[in-house]
Amino acid sequence: MQYHIEVTIGLKDGMLDPEAATIRKALEHLGYPTVSLGLQKKFIIDLDEASSDEAYSKVDEMCKRLLANPVIHNYDIVIEESI
Amino acid sequence: MQYHIEVTIGLKDGMLDPEAATIRKALEHLGYPTVSLGLQKKFIIDLDEASSDEAYSKVDEMCKRLLANPVIHNYDIVIEESI
């Protein structure tokens, strides 16, 4: 079975995000003041696995080992079956 | 009124994505083969505007002028009212 997975990775609350701060300042200089601005990264993964539980645990391992840094990042995994 | 906006930016179909290709290869080396892997960037923006239409057009301008490169990127804007 093929699964379509979306992994969203962002910094944990309280972590400084200089990239977001810089973009926010640049927008302000262009005349677009914002109340707040945050950044996340999204991975869209198609995976062949026997079950959605297995797909979830595989993607969870991928996040822990490569995609995210569990010390500073939160991540969120959404799985759906592909047609 | 304060609006909570999520902007998702990704490469247009057919654009090469060396970053995604590298991550896909790295996952394969770690023992996690994937059918496909794509990358998107997500901006989470809080904005003070008079109406959701105005918020939309402001964010659309932000995307065109700074956040995305309309030549190579697609972007998608989702707006909801903050409480």
Side-chain angles (χ1 to χ4, degrees):
Chain A
M1 181 76 72
Q2 191 163 311
Y3 293 93
H4 181 80
I5 298 141
E6 297 196 354
V7 183
T8 309
I9 297 178
L11 285 168
K12 287 187 179 169
D13 281 348
M15 299 295 302
L16 289 180
D17 188 344
E19 190 184 353
T22 306
I23 294 170
R24 187 165 176 254
K25 204 170 275 181
L27 284 173
E28 209 172 311
H29 283 302
L30 288 171
Y32 305 107
T34 55
V35 176
S36 71
L37 187 144
L39 267 176
Q40 291 180 331
K41 209 163 187 172
K42 212 166 148 183
F43 292 91
I44 291 100
I45 302 171
D46 286 311
L47 208 62
D48 263 329
E49 290 295 333
S51 71
S52 93
D53 283 355
E54 257 172 77
Y56 184 91
S57 74
K58 274 277 162 68
V59 174
D60 194 51
E61 277 178 45
M62 289 180 199
C63 287
K64 290 200 172 102
R65 291 187 62 186
L66 185 79
L67 305 181
N69 175 350
V71 177
I72 59 167
H73 292 133
N74 280 326
Y75 57 88
D76 178 58
I77 299 169
V78 177
I79 299 189
E80 55 186 48
E81 274 180 29
S82 295
I83 305 147
Chain B
M1 180 79 69
Q2 191 163 311
Y3 294 93
H4 181 79
I5 298 141
E6 298 196 355
V7 183
T8 309
I9 298 178
L11 285 168
K12 287 186 178 171
D13 281 349
M15 298 296 303
L16 289 179
D17 189 344
E19 190 184 353
T22 306
I23 293 170
R24 186 165 176 254
K25 204 170 276 180
L27 283 173
E28 208 172 312
H29 283 301
L30 287 172
Y32 306 107
T34 55
V35 176
S36 71
L37 186 143
L39 266 177
Q40 291 179 332
K41 208 162 190 173
K42 212 166 147 183
F43 292 90
I44 291 100
I45 301 171
D46 286 311
L47 207 62
D48 264 329
E49 290 295 333
S51 73
S52 95
D53 283 355
E54 255 171 78
Y56 184 90
S57 72
K58 274 278 162 66
V59 174
D60 194 51
E61 278 177 44
M62 290 180 198
C63 287
K64 291 202 171 99
R65 291 188 61 188
L66 185 78
L67 304 181
N69 175 351
V71 177
I72 57 168
H73 291 132
N74 281 325
Y75 57 88
D76 179 57
I77 300 170
V78 177
I79 298 190
E80 55 186 46
E81 273 180 29
S82 296
I83 305 147

